[in-house]
Amino acid sequence: MSELARDLSGIVVGWILGLATTLASDWVRGRRRVAAVRRSVIQELNEVAYRLTFVVFNLESRRGRLDRDLVHWLRTAIMRYQGPNQQEALPEGLSSLLEVSDEEFVTVSQLLASPTKTTFIQPEEASYSVAALTQAHEYDRAFATQVLDVLSSLRMYNETRQNVLQYQLMTFDSGLSEGNHSRVIENENSAIDALSRRARQIVDKVMMIEEQFEARSINHMPNKGIEQNARR
């Protein structure tokens, strides 16, 4: 091989190695960036789910439908939350409620019931998740698809909430006949049932995303022993 050929081959090899290093660095930065985005999205959705947990509790308890299965679900959802709005006494209180007798449980449920009381429920948003969805889809389509499902459910939740509000306003219409007023009440109750179901579905979906993210993080933790062997 001539000296010129050796020089050219060295240049080509150096260019290829430089390109590979750049691509690898970009890939690592991309992975780190999407991991940070994923954590932030989960954090925001956890806040939404935590608030919706209380929506479910308020809607179901005020309608006299608090039962042990619901309390178990509430406790599980609340215990998973580790955000800044955590109320440490809640899980303990729910656990104590599960330990009372059936008779005492029914009494508590009846005391909390207030079916005629109007409840104003705030709309829910996940603005960061919406903005980050495109970037997340570029690097992790499965995760982006799950988030999109939650956002779609959240949109339907807000639409149902709007329906509840409209029916509640209609109940104050003095011009309604008794029959129409009864139908409005029925529609309001149906909308409240749908709102509670949608809220609970969103909480379940967010918990599933978080569980999968935690499992993935554990599976991708570096093995220190392997790393040390590689350095040797």
Side-chain angles (χ1 to χ4, degrees):
M1 180 182 294
S2 66
E3 184 176 348
L4 177 60
R6 285 196 299 270
D7 291 342
L8 288 175
S9 63
I11 292 173
V12 171
V13 170
W15 178 80
I16 292 175
L17 290 176
L19 178 61
T21 300
T22 300
L23 292 175
S25 297
D26 290 343
W27 182 83
V28 171
R29 283 195 295 269
R31 294 278 295 184
R32 289 175 178 172
R33 182 166 57 250
V34 74
V37 169
R38 192 187 293 117
R39 282 192 296 270
S40 298
V41 168
I42 291 177
Q43 181 178 356
E44 181 181 55
L45 294 182
N46 270 332
E47 293 297 327
V48 172
Y50 189 61
R51 292 192 295 269
L52 290 180
T53 301
F54 291 97
V55 170
V56 174
F57 171 75
N58 287 332
L59 293 178
E60 295 299 319
S61 62
R62 289 183 179 180
R63 293 163 68 81
R65 300 196 303 204
L66 187 68
D67 57 28
R68 293 185 184 275
D69 288 339
L70 178 59
V71 174
H72 272 294
W73 180 85
L74 290 168
R75 185 179 63 174
T76 300
I78 290 174
M79 288 181 65
R80 287 192 62 85
Y81 176 76
Q82 300 295 325
N85 299 308
Q86 186 178 12
Q87 301 182 40
E88 297 180 357
L90 277 176
E92 183 179 350
L94 293 172
S95 297
S96 299
L97 183 57
L98 289 172
E99 295 174 359
V100 302
S101 66
D102 291 342
E103 183 179 352
E104 290 174 319
F105 191 98
V106 170
T107 300
V108 172
S109 179
Q110 291 174 345
L111 289 173
L112 293 173
S114 181
T116 59
K117 186 175 181 179
T118 301
T119 304
F120 178 75
I121 299 172
Q122 296 283 354
E124 289 293 341
E125 295 181 351
S127 54
Y128 177 84
S129 299
V130 173
L133 191 61
T134 301
Q135 186 176 5
H137 187 271
E138 181 180 355
Y139 293 96
D140 192 338
R141 293 185 178 182
F143 176 75
T145 299
Q146 289 179 299
V147 174
L148 181 60
D149 183 39
V150 172
L151 295 178
S152 298
S153 297
L154 197 58
R155 175 181 55 80
M156 290 186 288
Y157 168 86
N158 285 326
E159 291 174 354
T160 305
R161 169 200 165 271
Q162 188 63 32
N163 291 336
V164 171
L165 182 60
Q166 289 176 353
Y167 287 128
Q168 287 177 340
L169 292 175
M170 290 175 66
T171 61
F172 296 101
D173 186 352
S174 59
L176 287 176
S177 65
E178 184 177 349
N180 286 335
H181 187 271
S182 297
R183 280 189 286 272
V184 169
I185 294 296
E186 291 177 2
N187 291 335
E188 179 191 3
N189 290 334
S190 297
I192 291 175
D193 289 343
L195 187 66
S196 181
R197 287 196 304 271
R198 292 196 186 283
R200 190 164 178 172
Q201 289 169 357
I202 292 171
V203 175
D204 288 338
K205 289 177 180 180
V206 172
M207 286 196 295
M208 182 179 298
I209 292 176
E210 185 180 23
E211 288 173 359
Q212 293 178 356
F213 175 71
E214 290 174 351
R216 183 184 301 182
S217 299
I218 293 174
N219 292 334
H220 284 81
M221 288 179 63
N223 189 309
K224 294 183 179 180
I226 293 177
E227 288 184 350
Q228 292 172 355
N229 291 334
R231 292 192 187 100
R232 293 171 185 172

